[in-house]
Amino acid sequence: MSNVVVLDNGGGLMKAGMGGERDPSCVVPNCTARPPSSKKWLLADQLLSPAEDLTSATLRRPFDRGYLINPDLQSTLWAHLFTNLLKITPSSTSLLLTEPLFNLPSIQRSIDEIIFEEFNFKALFVADSPSLVHLYEASRRPYGLVSKAQCSLVVDCGFSFTHTAPVFQNFTLNYGVKRLDLGGKALTNYLKELVSYRSVNVMDESFIMDDVKEKLCFVSLDVPRDLQIARKHGKDNVLRCTYVLPDGVTYTKGYLKDPDESKRYFTLDDEVPSSHRGENDYMERQDPTDKNQDRRTVDLTKNVNSSLFSSP
């Protein structure tokens, strides 16, 4: 087993695993939350438990706009991650840690103190995400274009911001990096406003709207075509999905009324231009059978939010 821990410490999620593994062994929220009915703060994987009701939970994050603002909270989350999830001994382990571009020196010193003084890691290597992405792609395809050109443009869209970074020979060219203060959190907040204006107030339901975003949102590869589909009504609109909000009694987690409904978009033939499609082509690619038989016994009329969630 490798003695190197890889930690992608983002503002929204922490992705951690051992060096040499293809996928991270744990992906957990980088935050803590306290439900209204409890005095205990839940950490990381505890927030993903289906038994926990996080409706209107109080949320605390160690990061704000991509910068570490609460080192003590981050230290607590890392302690839970290293001890209970990864189950490692830091004193005999090295750490590969990612940090945002242009991180402030004061924040870098705080992180170094936590790593070496509190956890006593044997070694630390800090890297930025764009250079690691370029290195991964070049090593995955040694005869590909990235490996031959030894340069790439990486668009890193995170929780709080988006970076476009040119990378040359595994080094990020800082003078060419552009930052946009727009990330996944902005989309979540926008969905909160849409749903709160149209149906029920969900301005305090960050976890529910994050779940909606992750299950229903997508990046459009053909914006004119998708806008044309979005204007259709009924079954003609293959982008329309139904998400059932929790009622706090029968179920405490939101869910898709029909999971297959969210996959209908992938049945479209992307190779045919939108201008060459007939009006009935979308109907032919859908399953005409009525689904969701097992949910008919539950009254969903008060908790259903049927909307179109798409991002160009």
Side-chain angles (χ1 to χ4, degrees), residues 13 29 47-48 54 61 159 184 187-189 191-192 195 202 205-218 241-246 251-257 262 305 309:
L13 294 174
L47 301 175
L48 303 178
L54 299 177
R61 296 186 185 274
F159 181 74
L187 179 57
T188 300
N189 293 336
L191 292 180
K192 288 181 184 179
V195 177
V202 293
E205 309 298 342
S206 298
F207 291 102
I208 294 176
M209 299 316 298
D210 274 337
D211 188 55
V212 173
K213 178 183 69 176
E214 293 169 3
K215 291 181 178 178
L216 295 181
C217 290
F218 67 96
C241 301
T242 302
Y243 187 92
V244 182
L245 300 175
Y251 43 91
T252 59
K253 303 290 183 181
Y255 63 89
L256 292 177
K257 183 178 180 181
S262 62
N305 181 37
F309 297 114

Side-chain angles (χ1 to χ4, degrees), residues 129-154 167-171:
S129 299
S131 62
L132 294 179
V133 170
H134 175 89
L135 178 61
Y136 171 75
E137 181 63 24
S139 60
R140 190 170 68 97
R141 299 178 180 177
Y143 300 103
L145 181 60
V146 174
S147 298
K148 295 179 179 180
Q150 284 296 306
C151 62
S152 61
L153 179 65
V154 179
V167 181
F168 179 70
Q169 293 183 351
N170 298 337
F171 289 96

Side-chain angles (χ1 to χ4, degrees), residues 60-232:
R60 293 172 56 198
R61 296 186 185 274
F63 275 78
D64 183 36
R65 299 184 181 181
Y67 297 105
L68 181 65
I69 60 171
N70 195 333
D72 293 335
L73 177 57
Q74 186 66 86
S75 176
T76 302
L77 292 168
W78 281 351
H80 179 78
L81 175 67
F82 297 144
T83 305
N84 300 326
L85 300 182
L86 296 180
K87 298 179 180 180
I88 63 170
T89 303
S91 58
S92 59
T93 308
S94 301
L95 177 64
L96 170 59
L97 178 68
T98 63
E99 71 172 7
L101 292 167
F102 310 122
N103 206 9
L104 300 177
S106 59
I107 296 178
Q108 293 176 345
R109 287 193 297 268
S110 298
I111 294 177
D112 293 341
E113 292 176 0
I114 295 174
I115 295 300
F116 290 111
E117 296 183 8
E118 295 190 22
F119 295 105
N120 195 26
F121 271 93
K122 184 172 62 175
L124 170 66
F125 183 83
V126 180
D128 58 84
S129 299
S131 62
L132 294 179
V133 170
H134 175 89
L135 178 61
Y136 171 75
E137 181 63 24
S139 60
R140 190 170 68 97
R141 299 178 180 177
Y143 300 103
L145 181 60
V146 174
S147 298
K148 295 179 179 180
Q150 284 296 306
C151 62
S152 61
L153 179 65
V154 179
V155 179
D156 181 11
C157 187
F159 181 74
S160 303
F161 56 82
T162 299
H163 276 142
T164 56
V167 181
F168 179 70
Q169 293 183 351
N170 298 337
F171 289 96
T172 302
L173 305 180
N174 291 336
Y175 62 85
V177 175
K178 299 297 181 182
R179 169 169 170 151
L180 177 66
D181 290 326
L182 184 67
K185 182 174 65 175
L187 179 57
T188 300
N189 293 336
Y190 180 61
L191 292 180
K192 288 181 184 179
E193 295 178 2
L194 286 179
V195 177
S196 299
Y197 177 78
R198 297 177 59 180
S199 53
V200 62
N201 185 10
V202 293
M203 294 303 295
D204 296 330
E205 309 298 342
S206 298
F207 291 102
I208 294 176
M209 299 316 298
D210 274 337
D211 188 55
V212 173
K213 178 183 69 176
E214 293 169 3
K215 291 181 178 178
L216 295 181
C217 290
F218 67 96
V219 177
S220 175
L221 300 180
D222 190 342
V223 176
R225 181 201 63 182
D226 292 339
L227 289 177
Q228 182 181 0
I229 299 175
R231 296 187 183 98
K232 295 181 179 293

